[in-house]
Amino acid sequence: MKSFLLSIVLVNSLLSFDYKLQPEEVSKDVYCFFGLPEVMDEHNNGNMSNSCFVNLGNSYLVIDSGPTYQYAAQAYKKMKNLKNLPVSYVVDTHIHDDHWLGNSYYVTLGAKIIGSKAFKELPILDQTRMQRRISPEAYKGTTQIFPTIFVNKEKVLEINGKKVYIKSVNHKAHTNSDLYVYIPSEKIVFVGDLVFNQRLPSLRDGDINGWLEALKQIKKMSVTYIVGGHGTNIDKKAVDFTYNYLKTLKDEVKKRLEDGEDIADVVNDVKMKKYKDIPFYDSIQRQNVETTYRMLEWEDE
Ligand SMILES: [Zn+2]
């Protein structure tokens, strides 16, 4: 009997992964699970982006559902420990899969999923990037569930007397699908990957001018909390790291472009040493410089 029970425990542990999620209080009704400043791999199994929830009195609003079905299921267990409420809505801040593959769990609770209209163009993949990089045990149960409610410019929800504004950036910034969620009663805005902290942002799918423009708008908002997609800084100054990095990157590349330096030299020269100890510097600094060069070069013509 004992060995039978032991083997059940073993099989179960092989079939799932414990993310060890701990909700951290942002304000009275807002909590986040903060991801690690790492690339997705078989150790963190995608726990490298932020997923937050807001207690709206009679239900939870979830902002970004996390990297897998199991992550979301484990997150909801923790949410229920705080207060046993259903989830009315999930907002996907953009199309990167570390932020929305958890949708596949929340739809089983009857939650409605809201996202950018850019999701309509997103293909269902044979294998997602997340799936290729994390363990099959952690990915188990995950399917590609897209939003069914789309935001064009702005969508306003009124839940239990609280207004939730979901705004589309409406131009390419971090991606072509960026939304942010503003809740005036909580003095908070959730901005997805428009804001990174404690790691360098990636420009791979973005536009440096559009991104800086979006951040300028966010800086003007009258809020106490700004919660990004990566990193634990959530005060008003949370924007500054990403803004300053992108602004310096743009200025340095632009100066060299105007001096007639070619792309290979610029990629080698724009080191921005201040950032060299920040996670992801070694893997994406050169790529960010190259992407910026190509964008600004195009702009010049
Ligand atoms: Zn992203």
Side-chain angles (χ1 to χ4, degrees):
M1 187 65 183
K2 222 175 176 182
S3 68
F4 173 69
L5 283 177
L6 186 68
S7 62
I8 287 180
V9 170
L10 273 176
V11 166
N12 270 330
S13 67
L14 284 176
L15 291 177
S16 61
F17 170 78
D18 184 358
Y19 282 95
K20 299 196 167 64
L21 299 174
Q22 288 304 334
E24 287 183 45
E25 190 175 343
V26 171
S27 67
K28 191 169 77 65
D29 295 319
V30 181
Y31 289 78
C32 291
F33 302 100
F34 291 104
L36 302 161
E38 298 173 356
V39 72
M40 56 186 81
D41 64 21
E42 290 173 346
H43 303 287
N44 59 41
N45 283 313
N47 183 11
M48 32 60 77
S49 61
N50 298 340
S51 172
C52 301
F53 59 97
V54 184
N55 175 352
L56 291 165
N58 54 5
S59 72
Y60 286 121
L61 166 73
V62 172
I63 292 103
D64 283 341
S65 55
T68 62
Y69 175 99
Q70 286 180 56
Y71 173 101
Q74 291 170 30
Y76 186 58
K77 242 186 199 164
K78 300 285 174 164
M79 289 157 66
K80 276 204 299 190
N81 287 344
L82 288 166
K83 194 163 187 197
N84 193 355
L85 294 174
V87 175
S88 48
Y89 293 96
V90 173
V91 180
D92 298 337
T93 58
H94 64 295
I95 54 170
H96 287 155
D97 65 5
D98 47 326
H99 298 266
W100 61 265
L101 283 166
N103 290 354
S104 50
Y105 174 73
Y106 287 109
V107 289
T108 70
L109 304 179
K112 295 190 178 84
I113 316 285
I114 301 175
S116 158
K117 60 185 187 302
F119 271 98
K120 289 184 189 172
E121 317 295 322
L122 209 62
I124 302 268
L125 302 170
D126 290 340
Q127 241 198 347
T128 62
R129 180 177 63 148
M130 186 63 63
Q131 195 170 7
R132 287 197 303 273
R133 301 221 185 137
I134 71 173
S135 75
E137 293 76 25
Y139 198 80
K140 198 168 171 276
T142 309
T143 54
Q144 296 166 65
I145 300 291
F146 293 160
T148 53
I149 300 172
F150 300 101
V151 179
N152 284 311
K153 253 189 160 161
E154 179 182 86
K155 182 161 193 65
V156 187
L157 303 173
E158 191 161 341
I159 308 167
N160 201 30
K162 284 187 178 173
K163 284 211 162 129
V164 177
Y165 295 83
I166 306 163
K167 295 177 187 255
S168 167
V169 170
N170 262 336
H171 56 250
K172 206 180 204 191
H174 170 65
T175 63
N176 64 352
S177 63
D178 305 311
L179 301 181
Y180 55 96
V181 181
Y182 170 47
I183 309 177
S185 62
E186 305 290 331
K187 292 187 165 37
I188 196 165
V189 63
F190 299 91
V191 296
D193 282 4
L194 293 169
V195 166
F196 285 67
N197 277 293
Q198 294 131 357
R199 55 157 285 189
L200 287 201
S202 165
L203 263 169
R204 189 175 41 118
D205 297 325
D207 179 293
I208 195 160
N209 292 321
W211 196 336
L212 283 165
E213 196 47 51
L215 291 177
K216 275 186 201 155
Q217 297 303 318
I218 288 163
K219 272 167 170 285
K220 282 190 212 152
M221 293 180 78
S222 130
V223 289
T224 308
Y225 307 102
I226 298 175
V227 182
H230 299 267
T232 58
N233 292 349
I234 51 163
D235 61 11
K236 259 231 93 162
K237 288 186 173 155
V239 176
D240 295 351
F241 173 79
T242 308
Y243 185 84
N244 294 338
Y245 172 77
L246 294 175
K247 182 81 173 70
T248 310
L249 177 64
K250 181 182 166 182
D251 291 348
E252 291 215 11
V253 172
K254 197 170 179 173
K255 190 174 100 230
R256 288 175 166 82
L257 188 66
E258 283 165 2
D259 288 348
E261 258 190 63
D262 72 19
I263 189 161
D265 290 338
V266 176
V267 168
N268 280 327
D269 291 351
V270 178
K271 297 234 189 299
M272 296 168 62
K273 286 212 171 94
K274 187 180 154 196
Y275 295 92
K276 74 175 179 22
D277 295 324
I278 309 279
F280 287 73
Y281 178 92
D282 292 337
S283 57
I284 61 178
Q285 174 64 16
R286 291 171 68 88
Q287 185 194 306
N288 281 346
V289 174
E290 186 178 336
T291 308
T292 304
Y293 185 100
R294 292 195 193 283
M295 259 171 228
L296 298 179
E297 181 184 44
W298 180 253
E299 198 176 63
D300 264 12
E301 279 167 11

